[in-house]
């Protein structure tokens, strides 16, 4: 157990040092990058709305089940 603690401390110190140490970044963002991000956000929103529209009945049925397990519109058998 003592070796495991030592290993975890050493590993976490190494990872912390790696994350804090500055690394040179060679990146370029052109003018179209912002519009591309906006297009992705719009596509995610519309795709989510379309998915909810398609599966709305299942979603509604999942959240509106009664505690007795009966479906809406079911009538008890006549005696």
């Amino acid at each position: 157990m003592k070796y495991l603690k030592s290993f975890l401390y050493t590993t976490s110190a190494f990872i912390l040092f790696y994350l804090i140490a500055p690394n040179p970044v060679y990146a370029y963002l052109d003018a179209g990058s912002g519009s591309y991000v906006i297009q992705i956000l719009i596509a995610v929103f519309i795709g989510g709305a379309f998915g909810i529209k398609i599966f709305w009945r299942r979603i509604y049925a999942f959240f509106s089940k009664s505690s007795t397990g009966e479906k809406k519109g079911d009538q008890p058998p006549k005696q």
Side-chain angles (χ1 to χ4, degrees), residues 1 19 25-26 34 37-40 48-49 53 55 66 68 74:
M1 187 69 171
L19 292 175
V25 177
Y26 305 106
V37 170
I38 291 172
Q39 287 177 11
I40 290 173
K53 178 183 179 257
F55 295 108
S66 64
T68 60
D74 286 348

Side-chain angles (χ1 to χ4, degrees), residues 6-47:
S6 175
F7 175 74
L8 289 176
Y9 286 140
T10 306
T11 305
S12 56
F14 177 73
I15 291 172
L16 184 64
F17 175 74
Y18 181 75
L19 292 175
I20 292 175
N23 294 327
V25 177
Y26 305 106
Y28 173 73
L29 293 176
D30 64 347
S33 298
S35 65
Y36 184 65
V37 170
I38 291 172
Q39 287 177 11
I40 290 173
L41 292 175
I42 291 171
V44 166
F45 177 74
I46 292 175

